[in-house]
Amino acid sequence: MEQLSVNHLLGIKYLKEADVQLIFETADRFKEVINRPIKKVPSLRDITIANLFFENSTRTKLSFELAEKRLSADVINFSASQSSVNKGETLIDTVKNILAMKVDVVVMRHPNPGAALFLSKNVDACIINAGDGTHEHPSQALLDAYSIKEKLGDLRGKKIAIVGDILHSRVALSNIFALKMLGAEVMLCGPKSLIPKYHEALGVSVSTDLMKTLKWCDAANMLRVQSERMDLNYFPSTREYAQLYGLNAKKLMSLKKDIILLHPGPINRGVEITSDVADSKNAIILDQVENGVAIRMAIIYLLVAKLNIPST
Ligand code: NCD
């Protein structure tokens, strides 16, 4: 069987193109499984997975949990707000205690960039990064690229825009790495204050003009304004942001061409995208959610194959 080149999924940065292609091919098979009347396979019957969420999440947590259950793994869930983390326990202590219960895989979301890498060096389990602060969110980038490919075909030469709050977005960085690796051209668009200078070194172009960007692209990923991470005022008002960088039906119609629209969720309807656009035929937001389960099944399945667990 073909194998991944990595033992953990810490970021897209650590993957090779062959890894991404293998994840996509495996996800194709799992997508077929989850559309059958019996949506489950027994592949991970002997495996225990802990979902550790030190930061809020709705869809990523549900998506990972569903992927694990569709693979027949045993699943335990942990949310920081209900845990001993609030009593002063360190991350390594928390995780070592969980691993003492014989856990094979840890899926972790954490507010600190680098938390997943740190854990992979300090505990003996396979680590999957479900978002580490403003750094990476690899499973989201994989499901985004997979969803674009499903609609537009091979990504080589495709023009993809990432619009909005690039500065605070782990989705943006992982998307840049994944899309560039697959041969797409990437343009970032947003207010200057929300586009970090160092991103240009990643081989992407930058624009502050939404209409110009949309006219250029085949697909646009409309990112959420991450107000919870903003310690300063990065733009004068939400109303002004929506006027300059929000997408509404009038702007979409005036392009006179079809582009596809992605959003990682949760949507701030009326800020980055209006309701009619979010619910339009251009938006592939619900395809992203469906593909997310298949992509996460593929990631977990392929990483478990590298664990060398004796079969019973
Ligand atoms: C993203 C995240 O948490 O980084 N959402 C997600 O994973 N579904 C994007 C966001 O919060 O805006």
Side-chain angles (χ1 to χ4, degrees), residues 19 27 60 70 72 85 90-91 105 111 121 141 145 167 169-170 176 191 201 240 249-250 263 267 269 274 280 295:
D19 294 322
T60 304
R70 299 271 191 254
S72 306
V85 173
T90 67
L91 175 60
V105 179
K121 290 190 187 303
L167 180 66
S169 172
R170 51 193 170 214
I176 295 170
E240 189 191 283
K250 197 168 152 228
H263 195 300
I267 304 176
R269 285 179 184 253
T274 53
S280 71
I295 283 284

Side-chain angles (χ1 to χ4, degrees), residues 55-57 59-60 109 130 133 137 140 169-171 223-224 226 228-229 263-266 296:
E55 206 185 62
N56 293 343
S57 169
R59 85 214 65 223
T60 304
R109 168 166 290 192
H137 191 352
Q140 180 72 42
S169 172
R170 51 193 170 214
V171 177
L223 301 180
R224 184 174 66 87
Q226 316 243 319
E228 75 280 13
R229 298 192 195 282
H263 195 300
R296 290 177 174 118

Side-chain angles (χ1 to χ4, degrees), residues 221-233:
N221 201 342
M222 306 299 295
L223 301 180
R224 184 174 66 87
V225 174
Q226 316 243 319
S227 316
E228 75 280 13
R229 298 192 195 282
M230 294 188 185
D231 45 359
L232 301 166
N233 290 329

Side-chain angles (χ1 to χ4, degrees), residues 133-135 162-173 176 188-199 223-224 226 229-232 234:
T134 55
H135 180 222
I162 305 176
V163 180
D165 182 1
I166 315 290
L167 180 66
H168 299 100
S169 172
R170 51 193 170 214
V171 177
L173 192 57
I176 295 170
L188 308 179
C189 175
K192 261 210 166 95
S193 56
L194 288 177
I195 303 185
K197 277 256 181 309
Y198 50 81
H199 274 37
L223 301 180
R224 184 174 66 87
Q226 316 243 319
R229 298 192 195 282
M230 294 188 185
D231 45 359
L232 301 166
Y234 288 87

Side-chain angles (χ1 to χ4, degrees), residues 114-125:
L117 173 68
F118 174 74
L119 207 58
S120 72
K121 290 190 187 303
N122 286 286
V123 302
D124 190 19

